[in-house]
Amino acid sequence: MFELVRPRAELFQEWSEAHREWGPGLHEDGFGITSDDEVNTVDGFRDWVARIEHGPTELWWIVEEGEVLGGIALRAADDERVQSVGHIGYGVRPSARGRGVATWALGEVLLRAASLGIDPVVAFCLEDNAGSVATLERHGATLEAVEQHGTARVRRYAIRSGVRFVHRSTVGTDYS
């Protein structure tokens, strides 16, 4: 069973396994890592966890039986980054893709967004990311535009409350 857990320093090894699988230099959506974060040492990781605990974005790791499968982020309605990166960002490690991990996590976080009054929820994905397109559309996302963001073409979606596929179970979800 999947669960959402808040990032915490004692999960350094579990998180590091997922991080290594992505590969060096690759962006990991949903984790909130910036170019200034040093996350490959215990001390650097601890500093990063402390920073994201107090940031404007809510972050969770998607975990199954102690294994970190991915991450998902929810930005506040008034966060200036929403117009360029959306309210929600998520990523699933390569070995866990194709199992419904992102679809489940997105459903859970959409419930959280609704409880905060975020409507519609804005999400972006790369134009050629068929898995993410399917995940968003499964939740009733409506394509609003295809935009050029630097060298990447991205799809901008809106997910309105009451339109999406809603997961009923929040077992294992820690929104505290």
Side-chain angles (χ1 to χ4, degrees):
M1 170 183 281
F2 306 134
E3 62 181 323
L4 295 179
V5 300
R6 296 291 187 166
R8 46 187 203 263
E10 60 269 15
L11 293 176
F12 174 70
Q13 291 295 42
E14 294 82 352
W15 180 86
S16 292
E17 290 172 19
H19 180 62
R20 278 192 302 275
E21 188 175 318
W22 251 279
L26 295 179
H27 180 71
E28 298 164 60
D29 287 323
F31 283 111
I33 300 171
T34 69
S35 59
D36 296 330
D37 293 316
E38 195 291 298
V39 295
N40 294 316
T41 66
V42 173
D43 289 338
F45 182 78
R46 187 174 293 117
D47 291 345
W48 171 65
V49 168
R51 181 185 63 77
I52 62 176
E53 275 180 356
H54 303 295
T57 301
E58 293 185 75
L59 294 160
W60 297 273
W61 290 337
I62 310 162
V63 176
E64 180 182 48
E65 297 178 11
E67 182 181 10
V68 176
L69 303 179
I72 189 162
L74 176 64
R75 290 172 198 86
D78 61 351
D79 189 318
E80 63 189 35
R81 297 172 297 167
V82 167
Q83 293 309 309
S84 60
V85 295
H87 291 104
I88 290 183
Y90 55 85
V92 175
R93 69 194 282 179
S95 65
R97 293 177 186 159
R99 298 180 36 217
V101 174
T103 299
W104 175 85
L106 179 59
E108 295 298 307
V109 175
L110 287 171
L111 291 172
R112 174 68 174 152
S115 76
L116 296 171
I118 301 173
D119 185 28
V121 171
V122 175
F124 289 88
C125 71
L126 291 174
E127 185 177 38
D128 63 353
N129 186 338
S132 196
V133 167
T135 295
L136 291 164
E137 291 179 354
R138 172 146 178 135
H139 284 283
T142 302
L143 179 64
E144 292 192 326
V146 177
E147 304 170 357
Q148 193 71 33
H149 288 202
T151 61
R153 294 198 41 87
V154 298
R155 298 168 67 98
R156 177 190 173 97
Y157 284 95
I159 309 168
R160 302 198 188 307
S161 288
V163 175
R164 66 186 176 269
F165 173 81
V166 177
H167 291 272
R168 301 271 182 236
S169 171
T170 57
V171 174
T173 303
D174 174 15
Y175 290 128
S176 58

